[in-house]
Amino acid sequence: MDLERSPLALPFPDMPAIDGVTLRVSNARYKNWDRADLTFAELAEGTAVAGVFTQSACASSEVEMGREQVRSGRARALIVNAGNSNAFTGYRGREAVEQIMAQVAEGIGCAPGEVFVSSTGVIGVPLPKDKARDGVAKALAAEPCGWEDAARAIGTTDTFTKGATSSAVVGGKTVTLCGIIKGSGMIAPDMATMLGYIFTDAAVDPAFLQQLLSTANRQTFSCITVDGDTSTSDTVLAFATGRAGNAPLASFDDAGADAFAAALTDVCRQLAQLVVRDGEGASKFITIRMSGAASDESAHRVGLSIANSPLVKTAIAGEDANWGRVVMAVGKAGEPADRDKLSIAFGGIWAARNGLPVEDYDEAPVAAHLKGSDIDIAVDLGVGEGRATVWTCDLTHGYISINADYRS
Amino acid sequence: MDLERSPLALPFPDMPAIDGVTLRVSNARYKNWDRADLTFAELAEGTAVAGVFTQSACASSEVEMGREQVRSGRARALIVNAGNSNAFTGYRGREAVEQIMAQVAEGIGCAPGEVFVSSTGVIGVPLPKDKARDGVAKALAAEPCGWEDAARAIGTTDTFTKGATSSAVVGGKTVTLCGIIKGSGMIAPDMATMLGYIFTDAAVDPAFLQQLLSTANRQTFSCITVDGDTSTSDTVLAFATGRAGNAPLASFDDAGADAFAAALTDVCRQLAQLVVRDGEGASKFITIRMSGAASDESAHRVGLSIANSPLVKTAIAGEDANWGRVVMAVGKAGEPADRDKLSIAFGGIWAARNGLPVEDYDEAPVAAHLKGSDIDIAVDLGVGEGRATVWTCDLTHGYISINADYRS
């Protein structure tokens, strides 16, 4: 199925090389794609790694093994297979991952446990070992490539390549961060059919890198949803090669730690929003700003209830400022709320205040705002100080077309 | 918007009159509909009432007042307004309900608290008092009508009229139950934009009627979902006139109590399934049978996670036995599950057993099953003895068309 480029797509940014990261791609032909579908990132010795993974109870072998591997804190390589998720394939799936780890380890001279593997695509079909072996062999021998080639190779139903970059000054040294991501459906917090990889030349202690990535994840990847569905394979990994030569960051007491944390969160937020912009069938990028909730966590949950509501998402698709559906989605969230304290705005214009429609509400500027591609919904629950922002997209005929017809 | 009759519609059944129940309808013209939109059921003196209501934190005035009124256990009248939900309208909404209660109470000679009011339709527009007053006056004076007229008058986006009947022998007397219901979207447990009314000539103590209705609700209305959205107005009321002359049922120790409970649950299940059959845009009626869960409650939650998954629902719309998406929906439910014990069947044929695709799996009969209109999915989690059955429909272009365009 050829998918049209999302109308919300952004151009792939200029992204600098990261010292200590070499990217290569090959075509393992997991599906009958003519493009590369296997991505290999070789990482300098001493690279620190951190990861966050799906909370699915039916996670793939790749996720189970990745969770174990990050504990060591060290990585030398990443392999990403696109077209087959290798999920729900039992021992055969695990054997395929172990084969890849051993082959790459032998190829570059490292321990198998330092080779991280992700796979994305159809569930329930064991990753074919012969195709994986050939693909890895070709990738090991391939010429290095750039970020956009890698971003393209990790994609499945993605309609555009997604990358983000940022930098920070750490102890007088400029460190660079570059990230690529894939994902466009089965996207919900914790996290999504979302594979994201962030590379930096900063020197960061693995435990601190994990702390920073987990925090950034809560504010970014966990705040997006396309369809409320959560993949069995979701993975975000951060790799820090240390080649920038800064004094290693090990805590927030270290100079530059705050700046690095901000840059990491910035890259994660950019990547997370790009996934929403490629949401299956999306025609509108929706920002939902929650305030006045009982707590930040409560604000987050109510925001996701709104963001996941098919009735809210179809209303936005129809460019209809149907704030009644927002009331509905607040009401069903199971969080503290009071009908008579609730206020709702579209594009900065309040349609309802303290539980009543605004008397002199002028729908014309709201209607104009809804015709745009970036929609802003503000909801104040009026019961506390909790805040959160979540991002989602609308629900359109495109989503149905893509998903009623994906596997067959 | 004219909606096509659901392909899953069933004919309206022959339903007998219930002694002590008189139905009338009128046209209050809440919208510019030519058909009746106000329904009035007059109930004999001594009628017992029980109710279950939405768990929305933003419930309508009708729901708030109804919750209070059922505590008295007695009802003399029901008014249902269609086209305007009167939800999120603050004190003005409440005043409109109080006006209706007073007008009906004066008209038939009862206390205002014995008049139950429901409203369904657009949120955020106060029910116009003048239209309500005229509509009630007309209804009080109208000729009695039949069940299907009433079922039609309570509908909004419904594409067919929905009714169900059953009977039981209680202490040598045959008692009859008749129910009508409306609802087709914003349907999720606890409960939905669903207004359901069950009438019986049985004599039942109000507290026992409440116990029976709450139990039936958990097994029926709480087991359906169309889109996971929950209305601010959901209401199911049961009225027992006592005119059958049986010795009043007050506990399960009374002869015939089990038979009456079974008949009530039967009517509730029929009505609940009819709502799913009118699910917005539905082309397939889906039964999800859960077993092997840690508990019945856990089975129910996992079943709803599957039933609410847009990816599962679009796969069924596409007649695709994509059991990988079922694995995904099990995994995201947050309930005890083990990837390697999970089994999934479509139409009674196991596609996956104990965490692995079935080796000699023949997709041909499964594909034939999926071409039908009634789809059966069985999921065994393999971790316990918990069971549940839930019902839903597929997610199609029709849902998008209806909901991207409802208010405007």
Side-chain angles (χ1 to χ4, degrees):
Chain A
M1 183 168 46
D2 277 332
L3 296 172
E4 279 182 41
R5 182 175 168 88
S6 168
L8 305 175
L10 296 180
F12 198 84
D14 282 330
M15 288 175 30
I18 299 282
D19 194 1
V21 180
T22 307
L23 302 168
R24 296 180 174 89
V25 299
S26 71
N27 189 348
R29 299 193 76 80
Y30 293 121
K31 292 197 145 192
N32 286 328
W33 295 341
D34 282 332
R35 66 163 174 83
D37 59 4
L38 189 151
T39 306
F40 166 42
E42 186 173 350
L43 305 162
E45 277 192 55
T47 294
V49 63
V52 289
F53 300 92
T54 183
Q55 295 192 15
S56 171
C58 299
S60 68
S61 291
E62 283 82 338
V63 166
E64 287 185 343
M65 297 169 81
R67 279 190 193 125
E68 284 295 315
Q69 289 172 263
V70 290
R71 294 190 190 172
S72 77
R74 295 297 165 190
R76 287 295 312 285
L78 165 70
I79 297 284
V80 184
N81 305 297
N84 184 321
S85 77
N86 196 37
F88 206 67
T89 55
Y91 68 92
R92 285 176 292 184
R94 193 171 183 98
E95 285 176 1
V97 179
E98 287 169 345
Q99 174 191 292
I100 292 171
M101 291 165 67
Q103 185 180 1
V104 174
E106 189 180 332
I108 64 170
C110 70
E114 293 174 311
V115 179
F116 287 74
V117 181
S118 302
S119 303
T120 175
V122 170
I123 296 176
V125 180
L127 194 73
K129 289 192 202 172
D130 50 345
K131 291 184 178 180
R133 185 179 293 111
D134 290 352
V136 169
K138 282 192 279 184
L140 284 165
E143 289 298 311
C145 68
W147 292 112
E148 190 166 11
D149 296 315
R152 188 175 297 111
I154 66 174
T156 53
T157 57
D158 304 64
T159 75
F160 65 95
T161 53
K162 304 174 190 72
T165 185
S166 189
S167 63
V169 177
V170 176
K173 307 273 186 185
T174 296
V175 304
T176 305
L177 299 88
C178 287
I180 57 174
I181 198 160
K182 67 85 51 177
S184 62
M186 209 188 294
I187 299 292
D190 316 321
M191 292 173 299
T193 303
M194 194 182 76
L195 301 179
Y197 308 99
I198 298 149
F199 304 86
T200 178
D201 54 6
V204 191
D205 175 75
F208 189 51
L209 185 62
Q210 184 64 55
Q211 179 188 337
L212 297 180
L213 181 65
S214 297
T215 301
N217 175 57
R218 280 196 295 278
Q219 297 167 9
T220 59
F221 301 116
S222 290
C223 297
I224 64 168
T225 181
V226 166
D227 49 18
D229 276 341
T230 302
S231 162
T232 52
S233 304
D234 303 328
T235 298
V236 172
L237 294 170
F239 303 101
T241 67
R243 293 296 184 93
N246 60 294
L249 295 173
S251 83
F252 278 112
D253 295 333
D254 297 329
D258 287 309
F260 179 77
L264 179 65
T265 302
D266 178 43
V267 168
C268 291
R269 187 181 295 109
Q270 289 183 59
L271 294 175
Q273 293 189 1
L274 287 169
V275 171
V276 172
R277 287 187 174 276
D278 206 6
E280 291 174 337
S283 73
K284 312 272 188 190
F285 179 85
I286 307 170
T287 301
I288 299 169
R289 301 176 201 279
M290 299 298 307
S291 59
S295 67
D296 288 352
E297 294 70 28
S298 182
H300 184 247
R301 282 190 285 269
V302 177
L304 287 173
S305 177
I306 299 168
N308 277 321
S309 160
L311 287 170
V312 171
K313 293 160 85 80
T314 49
I316 300 300
E319 302 182 344
D320 176 8
N322 192 324
W323 55 266
R325 294 185 183 176
V326 178
V327 175
M328 177 281 299
V330 170
K332 76 166 182 166
E335 292 294 321
D338 180 337
R339 185 190 72 198
D340 296 333
K341 292 180 177 170
L342 183 57
S343 301
I344 298 166
F346 291 89
I349 295 164
W350 295 94
R353 276 273 194 199
N354 298 317
L356 284 173
V358 170
E359 293 271 353
D360 55 352
Y361 171 58
D362 177 8
E363 200 164 330
V366 173
H369 175 72
L370 287 171
K371 289 197 189 306
S373 63
D374 281 51
I375 307 302
D376 189 282
I377 303 176
V379 178
D380 191 295
L381 299 183
V383 299
E385 300 295 321
R387 295 183 162 272
T389 301
V390 305
W391 301 280
T392 190
C393 57
D394 57 344
L395 174 58
T396 69
H397 286 288
Y399 183 87
I400 308 294
S401 296
I402 293 166
N403 286 301
D405 199 41
Y406 172 58
R407 200 190 64 150
S408 36
Chain B
M1 184 170 47
D2 277 333
L3 297 171
E4 278 182 41
R5 183 176 168 87
S6 168
L8 305 174
L10 297 180
F12 198 84
D14 282 331
M15 288 177 28
I18 299 283
D19 194 1
V21 180
T22 307
L23 302 170
R24 296 180 174 88
V25 298
S26 72
N27 189 347
R29 298 194 76 79
Y30 293 121
K31 292 197 143 192
N32 285 328
W33 294 341
D34 283 330
R35 65 164 175 83
D37 59 4
L38 189 150
T39 307
F40 166 42
E42 185 174 351
L43 305 162
E45 277 193 56
T47 293
V49 63
V52 289
F53 300 91
T54 183
Q55 297 192 14
S56 172
C58 299
S60 67
S61 291
E62 283 82 339
V63 166
E64 288 185 343
M65 297 169 80
R67 280 190 192 124
E68 284 296 314
Q69 290 173 263
V70 289
R71 293 189 190 174
S72 76
R74 295 296 165 190
R76 286 296 311 286
L78 166 71
I79 295 283
V80 184
N81 305 297
N84 183 323
S85 77
N86 196 36
F88 206 66
T89 55
Y91 69 91
R92 285 176 292 183
R94 194 171 182 98
E95 285 176 359
V97 180
E98 288 168 346
Q99 173 191 292
I100 292 171
M101 291 164 66
Q103 185 180 1
V104 174
E106 188 180 335
I108 65 171
C110 70
E114 293 174 310
V115 179
F116 287 74
V117 181
S118 301
S119 303
T120 175
V122 169
I123 296 176
V125 180
L127 194 73
K129 288 192 203 172
D130 51 345
K131 291 185 178 181
R133 185 178 294 110
D134 290 351
V136 169
K138 283 192 278 184
L140 284 165
E143 288 297 311
C145 67
W147 291 112
E148 190 166 11
D149 295 315
R152 187 175 298 110
I154 66 174
T156 54
T157 57
D158 304 65
T159 75
F160 65 95
T161 52
K162 305 175 190 72
T165 184
S166 189
S167 63
V169 176
V170 175
K173 307 273 187 184
T174 296
V175 304
T176 304
L177 300 88
C178 287
I180 58 174
I181 198 161
K182 67 85 50 178
S184 62
M186 211 188 294
I187 300 292
D190 316 320
M191 292 173 298
T193 303
M194 195 181 76
L195 301 180
Y197 307 99
I198 299 149
F199 304 86
T200 179
D201 54 6
V204 190
D205 175 74
F208 189 51
L209 186 62
Q210 184 64 54
Q211 178 188 338
L212 297 180
L213 182 64
S214 296
T215 301
N217 176 56
R218 280 196 294 280
Q219 298 167 9
T220 60
F221 300 116
S222 290
C223 296
I224 64 168
T225 181
V226 166
D227 49 19
D229 276 340
T230 301
S231 162
T232 51
S233 304
D234 302 329
T235 298
V236 172
L237 294 170
F239 302 101
T241 67
R243 292 298 184 94
N246 61 293
L249 295 172
S251 84
F252 278 112
D253 295 333
D254 297 328
D258 287 310
F260 179 77
L264 179 65
T265 301
D266 178 43
V267 169
C268 290
R269 186 182 296 108
Q270 288 182 60
L271 293 175
Q273 294 190 1
L274 286 169
V275 171
V276 172
R277 287 187 174 277
D278 206 6
E280 290 174 338
S283 73
K284 311 275 187 188
F285 179 85
I286 307 170
T287 302
I288 299 171
R289 301 176 201 280
M290 300 296 307
S291 59
S295 66
D296 289 352
E297 293 70 28
S298 182
H300 184 247
R301 282 190 286 267
V302 178
L304 287 173
S305 176
I306 299 168
N308 277 321
S309 160
L311 288 169
V312 171
K313 294 161 85 79
T314 48
I316 300 300
E319 304 184 343
D320 177 7
N322 193 324
W323 55 267
R325 295 186 183 175
V326 178
V327 175
M328 177 281 300
V330 170
K332 77 166 181 167
E335 292 294 320
D338 180 335
R339 186 190 71 197
D340 296 334
K341 291 180 177 169
L342 182 58
S343 301
I344 298 166
F346 291 89
I349 295 165
W350 295 95
R353 276 274 194 196
N354 298 316
L356 284 173
V358 170
E359 292 271 352
D360 54 353
Y361 170 58
D362 178 8
E363 200 165 331
V366 172
H369 175 72
L370 287 171
K371 289 196 189 307
S373 63
D374 282 51
I375 307 303
D376 189 281
I377 303 176
V379 177
D380 191 294
L381 299 183
V383 298
E385 300 295 322
R387 294 182 163 273
T389 300
V390 304
W391 300 280
T392 189
C393 57
D394 55 345
L395 174 58
T396 68
H397 287 287
Y399 184 87
I400 308 293
S401 296
I402 293 166
N403 285 301
D405 200 38
Y406 172 57
R407 201 190 63 151
S408 36

